[in-house]
Amino acid sequence: MGNMVHKRMRSISAAALLAMTAGCSWMPWGEKEDPTILPFKTIQSGSYQGFLKNWDDTRTPVFCALIRSRAQWDELMQPAATMGDRRPAGPPAAYFQTKQYLLVARVMQAPDAAERPHVFTPLSVTLRQGVLRVNYLYRAPASGASYQVKDYMMLAIPKERYTTGPVVFQENDRRVCELH
C-alpha cells in the first residue's frame, strides 16, 4: 500500500510539473519586449521647486511639450525658491543625456488633495511608424475650489528610444496636441 501511495504521489508531481512547464509559454517573462511600447516614469508636478511658465490657455487649452535639454527646461519652467525647501529647481543637465520629458498641462479648477493624483493618469507611450503617441486620461477636478491652477503631467522616457518625428498627445482617446 505504501508503494502504491508513493507511485501515485510521483505521478501527481510529474503531472503538476508538466502543467507548470506547459503554462510557462503564457507567462509574461517568456515574451519578447514589444519595441513599440516605450517605458516611462511619471514625474509628479511637485517634484521640482518651480512651476510651468504661463501660456495663452484661451488659444491653447492643453499645452504640450517635449523637453530634450536643460535649455528647453529653462525656457518652459520657472524656478520658485522658498526658504527651507530643498527640492532642486529642475533636473541636472546630465539627466538629459539619457532621458527626456513629455509634458501636458492645463489650467483647471484647483483639485483637492484626494483627487490631485487622479487628474492626469498616463496610460501608454508608443512609437509606431515614426509617431510617438502619449495616451492618458484627464479627469477635471470637482473639488468646488474657487480658484484655478496650472497643473501638469510629466513623463520621463529614454532618449535612445525616440529621437525625432511627430508627437501626438491623446487625452481620453481624443487628440489634443501634436508636436512636429
Side-chain angles (χ1 to χ4, degrees):
M1 171 120 177
N3 194 20
M4 192 157 80
V5 170
H6 186 65
K7 282 183 181 180
R8 188 165 187 98
M9 290 302 292
R10 268 195 296 188
S11 63
I12 289 172
S13 296
L17 182 62
L18 181 63
M20 286 190 304
T21 306
C24 284
S25 64
W26 300 331
M27 298 299 169
W29 54 81
E31 296 176 19
K32 290 191 180 249
E33 181 181 333
D34 184 345
T36 65
I37 299 174
L38 274 71
F40 63 87
K41 179 183 177 193
T42 304
I43 309 300
Q44 299 299 321
S45 60
S47 297
Y48 295 111
Q49 191 175 352
F51 55 90
L52 182 61
K53 292 179 181 178
N54 289 328
W55 73 93
D56 184 354
D57 62 298
T58 55
R59 265 192 36 218
T60 310
V62 181
F63 179 82
C64 302
L66 172 64
I67 306 172
R68 297 182 52 83
S69 68
R70 183 58 200 229
Q72 289 175 331
W73 174 274
D74 292 339
E75 286 176 22
L76 296 174
M77 303 301 284
Q78 178 67 44
T82 56
M83 285 183 55
D85 193 339
R86 301 272 184 221
R87 292 176 297 160
Y95 175 89
F96 292 103
Q97 292 174 2
T98 59
K99 303 280 188 220
Q100 55 197 333
Y101 286 126
L102 295 162
L103 174 100
V104 62
R106 287 179 156 273
V107 174
M108 64 187 76
Q109 178 183 12
D112 63 28
E115 66 186 343
R116 186 159 194 247
H118 307 290
V119 172
F120 292 103
T121 304
L123 299 175
S124 64
V125 179
T126 58
L127 180 60
R128 292 189 179 103
Q129 299 172 342
V131 177
L132 186 67
R133 190 171 309 277
V134 181
N135 193 14
Y136 66 95
L137 296 177
Y138 170 73
R139 292 176 198 87
S143 65
S146 60
Y147 61 96
Q148 293 188 320
V149 296
K150 287 182 296 189
D151 205 358
Y152 60 84
M153 176 183 75
M154 188 178 299
L155 304 177
I157 63 169
K159 213 167 199 177
E160 80 274 358
R161 297 284 296 269
Y162 173 77
T163 56
T164 186
V167 181
V168 174
F169 290 81
Q170 285 193 192
E171 179 180 278
N172 304 333
D173 291 326
R174 194 181 108 248
R175 182 183 295 213
V176 291
C177 293
E178 187 167 342
L179 307 173
H180 293 278

